[in-house]
């Protein structure tokens, strides 16, 4: 009997999974007609996924997503979202409940919302990010399954919505696995949960799914515009307006729902010194989307990076997406402003948003503040290079990062990996990603953080086959931390590629306020001396086009356990987890002031 029940459950579950439709990511969601579902959500910690599987580990029909309530006094229901505690969404669970600080597993979230359906409108449910594996249910119907902890997704829930009270439930599981992206090991905290905005997005049945505006890379008097409808409807008028440039141009979509045209204009070019943004509107079928767009060109010429045709040196710093004051996933403008403010204080014109796509508010804040960005997908360390599902996952994250941010002038580099071990399988996997990124966006540069594998007699030679697939050759080196700082003056660096070079990581740890001699590990003096020696060393590297020292701020990591010093923080920050600037901060600031 149990077998039949299980089979019926599975069949029904598959059927219900078909109900809603995953739709491609909607561009510029923040400026669409949205209703926020941010706020207090009930949550249930479900260590053994009792709310999803029966006692034979088959998906159950009677899962927590049914949101069942006892009808008769004798009814047995072993969960109740209404009686469960709440936490603030967006927000990771680790820093909102001490019992979840280290937790890796499933947590269910639930909230109700009132809704009035509108004739002819579609309603999408949008998540800015959910880490890591999530199943979403609306009024008990399964509407989508998403994998990936740092990219947005949306699903059309029009047919599941009711007038009046609706209930959305989401199962979030942040357990790590070898075939995931990232894999089961990474040097940052595995913050789980609904870590970015949740929005209801109201659209016409035929809407502008995404659009792209970009200055021609060579001719700064030409702007390329393209837009794509969600459906292949021909003859839909799409109008682009940029009032300050006296642009007001319409064109009809083709049978695939695409429209594209070039514009002659002489825009003020976006740059760190002049982060000029133009008010832009895209109209179609009664919807008008507002955006602010900067126009700039980024290219390379030999070992130089050119911004708007002129060589630029990237005075950068690396940064994790963590709140300015002591941990937890950052997800809003205030944290971004504080963190990017510290980078600007250093004299930075560039930030490496490591090791995954950061939230959209931070990217737009950096754009307004004139800070160029490196944006990266978490192909970090030992990815399962030969697993087709892993490649699909990495491609999806790359696509969604590009589709979300393709109109952000300050993003100049898409990075496809960090510190990955050399192998034919890895080159096949990553070159597929590099080519895919270029097929989606040929207006930016591709890079990845490599490692120098060969060193003899103080000669460090970068020798990575992936050099042929990237526009910028970047690599991490840790002279002074994982190797003796006294070797720095003797070090020679050979990068045999006629491409710009970025030192995408160097640095060392220090506990703020711990002082001693410069060879005493963990003191601020040790870190200060490490920066002095490294900056003097990298200055001699031919073709050095920039650097992003590791890292702006101390950040939580389960790999950094040393009590009394690290306490589950990686202490390589130039700023402590409490916002205190270490001595090395001022060494880098001084060095940048001279470039
Ligand atoms: C690596 C890695 C970082 C890590 C750093 C460190 O280079 O890219 O993610 O945090 O080293 O060891 O602190």
């Amino acid at each position: 009997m149990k077998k039949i029940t299980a089979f019926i459950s599975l069949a029904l579950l598959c059927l219900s999974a078909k109900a809603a439709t995953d739709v491609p990511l909607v561009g510029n969601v923040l400026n669409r007609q949205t209703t926020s579902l941010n706020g207090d959500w009930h949550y249930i910690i479900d260590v053994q996924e009792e709310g999803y599987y029966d006692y034979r580990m088959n998906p159950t029909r009677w899962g927590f997503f049914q949101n069942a309530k006892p009808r008769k006094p004798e009814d047995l229901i072993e969960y109740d979202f209404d009686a469960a505690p709440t936490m603030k969404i967006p927000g990771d669970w680790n820093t909102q409940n001490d019992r979840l600080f280290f937790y890796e597993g499933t947590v269910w979230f639930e909230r109700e919302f009132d809704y009035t359906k509108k004739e002819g409108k579609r309603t999408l449910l949008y998540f800015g990010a959910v880490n890591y594996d999530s199943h979403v249910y609306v009024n008990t119907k399964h509407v989508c399954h998403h994998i990936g902890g740092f990219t947005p997704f949306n699903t059309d829930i029009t047919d599941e919505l009711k007038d009046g009270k609706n209930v959305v439930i989401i199962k979030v599981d942040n357990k790590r696995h070898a075939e995931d992206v990232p894999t089961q090991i990474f040097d940052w905290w595995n913050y789980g949960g609904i870590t970015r905005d949740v929005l209801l997005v109201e659209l016409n049945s035929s809407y502008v799914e995404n659009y792209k505006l970009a200055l021609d890379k060579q001719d700064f008097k030409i702007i390329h515009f393209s837009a794509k409808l969600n459906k292949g409807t021909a003859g839909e008028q799409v109008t682009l307006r940029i009032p300050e440039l006296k642009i007001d141009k319409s064109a009809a979509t083709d049978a695939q729902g695409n429209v594209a045209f070039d514009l002659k204009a002489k825009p003020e070019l976006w740059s760190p010194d002049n982060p000029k943004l133009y008010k832009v509107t895209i109209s179609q079928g009664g919807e008008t989307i507002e955006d602010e767009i900067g126009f700039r060109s980024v290219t390379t010429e030999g070992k130089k990076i050119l911004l708007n045709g002129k060589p630029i040196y990237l005075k950068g710093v690396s940064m994790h997406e963590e709140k300015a004051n002591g941990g937890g996933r950052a997800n809003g403008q205030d944290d971004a402003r504080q963190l990017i403010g510290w980078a600007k204080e250093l004299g930075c014109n560039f930030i490496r948003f490591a090791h995954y796509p950061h939230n959209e508010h931070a990217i737009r804040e950096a754009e307004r503040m004139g800070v160029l960005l490196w944006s990266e997908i978490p192909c970090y360390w030992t990815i399962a290079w030969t697993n087709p599902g892993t490649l699909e996952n990495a491609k999806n994250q790359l696509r969604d990062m590009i589709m979300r941010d393709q109109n952000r002038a300050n993003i100049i580099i898409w990075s496809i990996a960090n510190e990955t071990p050399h192998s034919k399988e890895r080159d096949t996997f990553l070159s597929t990603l590099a080519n895919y990124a270029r097929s989606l966006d040929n207006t930016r540069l591709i890079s990845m953080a490599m490692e120098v594998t060969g060193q003899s007699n103080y000669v460090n030679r970068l020798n990575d086959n992936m050099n042929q697939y990237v526009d910028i050759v970047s690599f991490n080196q840790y002279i002074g931390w994982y190797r003796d700082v006294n070797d720095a003056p003797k070090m020679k660096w050979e990068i045999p590629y006629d491409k710009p070079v970025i030192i995408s990581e160097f640095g060392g740890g220090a506990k703020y306020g711990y002082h001693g001699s410069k060879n005493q590990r963990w003191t601020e003096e040790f870190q200060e001396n490490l920066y002095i020696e490294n900056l003097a060393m990298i200055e001699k590297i031919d073709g050095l086009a920039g650097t992003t020292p590791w890292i702006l701020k101390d950040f939580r990591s389960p790999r950094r356990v040393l009590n009394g010093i690290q306490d589950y923080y990686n202490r390589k920050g130039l700023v402590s987890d409490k916002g205190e600037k270490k001595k090395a901060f001022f060494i880098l600031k001084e060095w940048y002031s001279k470039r």
Side-chain angles (χ1 to χ4, degrees), residues 30 66 92 126 132 140 245 303 347 354 392 411 471 538 587:
L30 300 180
Q66 290 290 358
D92 61 86
Y126 167 91
Y132 173 82
T140 77
L245 294 175
K303 290 180 177 291
E392 200 52 34
I411 296 181
D471 299 303
I538 68 172
I587 298 298

Side-chain angles (χ1 to χ4, degrees), residues 484-530:
D484 186 347
V485 70
N486 298 311
D487 291 346
K490 300 171 228 164
M491 285 295 174
K492 299 268 180 298
W493 297 88
E494 290 180 5
I495 299 105
Y497 313 117
D498 185 27
K499 295 184 174 176
V501 178
I502 288 180
I503 306 288
S504 34
E505 285 181 39
F506 74 83
K511 180 160 172 64
Y512 177 79
Y514 176 31
H515 295 286
S517 70
K518 68 180 181 180
N519 63 356
Q520 174 63 53
R521 180 85 63 167
W522 301 111
T523 61
E524 287 194 49
E525 287 70 21
F526 185 99
Q527 185 189 47
E528 179 187 42
N529 179 53
L530 181 148

Side-chain angles (χ1 to χ4, degrees), residues 186-188 320 352 354-355 376 380-381 418-419 449 451 476-478 481-482 504-505 550-551 555 557 560 570-572:
F186 43 84
D187 193 21
W188 66 82
H320 263 297
R352 178 185 179 201
H355 282 294
E376 181 165 301
Y380 183 95
W381 290 356
N418 179 72
E419 293 195 348
E451 285 178 307
N476 302 345
Q477 62 82 17
Y478 275 92
W481 188 253
Y482 297 117
S504 34
E505 285 181 39
W550 192 263
I551 187 169
F555 61 95
S557 168
R560 309 294 173 173
N570 182 313
R571 295 281 182 207
K572 295 188 183 69

